[in-house]
Each structure stands twice: as structure tokens, then as C-alpha cells.
Amino acid sequence: MRVMSYRKGADTGLAVARGDGWADLGAADLLAVLAGDHAGAADTAPELDLAGVTPALPLARPGKIICVGLNYADHTAESPYEQPNYPTLFPRFTTSLIPDGAPIVRPRVSQDLDFEGEVVAIIGKAGRHIARDKALEHVAGYSIFNDGSLRDYQFKSPQWTVGKNFDNTGAFGPVVVSADALPPGARGLRLQTRLNGEVMQDANTDDMIYPVDELIAIISEAITLEPGDLIVTGTPAGIGMARDPKRYMKPGDVIEVVVEGIGVLRNPVEESAIWRARSRIRA
């Protein structure tokens, strides 16, 4: 099952892929749709008119957003870190999120805006101390994430939180694919990140050091996972910071994250409106 969240005027809704189009389920709940609660309605719902429709976040306000750093060995090798023997976990906040098509904003305080293409698992069933062999039963579906990072702010302290949470830097979407429509744990999927059409990252989700089931088991040792939580599973090698010269995103760029079996997350890059206004005043 493929589910798309959309915005039309002041309204938001959900649509399910049906043939070559989309069945409009209106104000349905994403997790209920992924659980199959609207299966009959998807057969009889009206066709979504895509005219005037723009993508919305798959979940307007996710619960916990738990990101995983250094989860691909090749990415760790290009970073200033040794490979840890425990997942590197950090939070993202909902105020940083933007949907497909919305601009990633380079803030006025930094030009070190980097890309990180990732797969995100959406939790559909609550649990604590989840056994690894039961972990994937807690996943409702998968989507795509771009963990836009302000590198200079990320490394201002041992904690990465500030550099990972600037407003309008975390792109998420555009579709969610139900867990049963992908290989278990979203394994074996090709992941690419393209900057202005040029491939920057090219990997396979089999390369994760901690796959989705293990991440769920480890995280739930400490944290109760709840429906609507996100686990952003990490990025492979090829980030802009590790290149010579560095290849950070800049206004006018277009960044795409492509995941086999899920789709394409595409966002333009803009500078902060505050910075644009101040630049005009100085001119």
C-alpha cells in the first residue's frame, strides 16, 4: 500500500494509490489506513484531483523522532569519529520538518548546510523491551528523510542536537509504503541522494550496521515506542562535508533522495527570508 498526504487550500487529507491514480480518503488517519482499517473505502473512494494539491507531511506532528548516526560504516569512515559499538541516537523536533516540494532553508547564521538521505521507519504499535524477533511487527510503514544538517553548529558541542534541528531542514515524505509492501525491515533497497542531478550518495539498506529490527529492540530497552514515532535510520557515505572541496547545499540547488520501492523526496534549497530581507536593505 502506498499512502500520500496532501494539502488542498486549508484542508489536508490522505490518498491511497489505486491503479494509475489516487483514491481520496479525505481526513483519514495515516496509521489506521496502514493498518488496513480503510481497505474497503479505498476501493470506492473518489479519485483525487491532483490539480491544486501539494504534498503534506505524512504525519503532521510525529511523536518522538529518533535519529541514528554513524549507522553505515563507510559514512563513519568519512566522519571524524570511530565506529561506536552502540547506536548513536539523537532527537529531531517537529518544528524542523518540511514536506516534499517545500524549500529546505539555509539559515542566515551558517552556510554549512549538508544533506543526508535516509530511510525512516514509522512505528504503528506501541512497545517497550521489544524482542528483536518481534520488532518488525511494530513498524507500520516506511518513508524517506533528508536529515539536513548545519555542520558547524553540529560540532559546536559533543551533542549534535542544535545542528540537526534548524527550522525547515528535515524533509520527510512524500509517500509512506506499508511495511508489508517492502522487504522485511526495508532491507536490500538502493538509496541515492542527488544534488542538482549529480549522485552524491549511493548505497543499499543492507549496509546498515544496526538494521531496523535491532534498532527497535535497542531503543525500546530505554524508551517506550508509540504509534506515530519515527526512527530515522542513518545515512551512507557521500555527504558534502566529507568532499574536497566541500559540497554544501546552497540557494538555488535541488536535492533529491531516492529509495527503491518507496519513491523520490525532492526539495529546492532557499536562503532564509530574514537574510534575504536584510540583504535587500543593505543593497
Side-chain angles (χ1 to χ4, degrees), residues 218-233:
I218 292 172
I219 292 168
S220 69
E221 290 175 348
I223 301 168
T224 297
L225 292 173
E226 301 171 306
D229 288 349
L230 306 182
I231 299 176
V232 187
T233 59

Side-chain angles (χ1 to χ4, degrees), residues 128-214:
R128 174 89 193 276
H129 295 296
I130 300 167
R132 184 174 179 181
D133 63 355
K134 301 291 185 182
L136 296 183
E137 298 175 9
H138 292 257
V139 179
Y142 297 90
S143 190
I144 308 174
F145 206 91
N146 187 345
D147 184 32
S149 305
L150 278 301
R151 296 301 186 191
D152 49 351
Y153 276 78
Q154 179 182 349
F155 297 116
K156 281 181 180 289
S157 78
Q159 298 291 333
W160 297 353
T161 304
V162 172
K164 296 287 191 172
N165 276 287
F166 272 71
D167 287 356
N168 305 303
T169 58
F172 172 32
V175 301
V176 175
V177 178
S178 59
D180 62 0
L182 290 172
R187 299 295 298 268
L189 304 182
R190 188 177 188 183
L191 185 160
Q192 283 192 335
T193 303
R194 303 170 185 164
L195 181 62
N196 301 323
E198 181 181 352
V199 175
M200 299 283 105
Q201 297 178 290
D202 194 350
N204 192 289
T205 56
D206 274 346
D207 298 334
M208 288 184 195
I209 295 169
Y210 300 98
V212 173
D213 56 349
E214 189 172 6

Side-chain angles (χ1 to χ4, degrees), residues 66-72 75 88 90 92 114-121 142-149 151 160 164 171-173 190-193 201 205 208 215 231-236 239 256-259 262-263 265:
I66 302 170
C67 299
V68 186
L70 309 178
N71 201 23
Y72 288 76
H75 174 54
T88 302
F90 59 91
R92 253 202 188 260
D114 211 344
F115 48 83
E116 291 193 4
E118 313 197 21
V119 171
V120 53
Y142 297 90
S143 190
I144 308 174
F145 206 91
N146 187 345
D147 184 32
S149 305
R151 296 301 186 191
W160 297 353
K164 296 287 191 172
F172 172 32
R190 188 177 188 183
L191 185 160
Q192 283 192 335
T193 303
Q201 297 178 290
T205 56
M208 288 184 195
L215 287 172
I231 299 176
V232 187
T233 59
T235 202
I239 60 169
E256 298 171 303
V257 183
V258 186
V259 179
I262 301 179
L265 171 63

Side-chain angles (χ1 to χ4, degrees), residues 42-66:
D43 294 334
T44 60
E47 190 82 3
L48 176 64
D49 181 2
L50 295 177
V53 166
T54 57
L57 288 169
L59 287 165
R61 294 192 67 83
K64 296 180 285 293
I65 306 171
I66 302 170

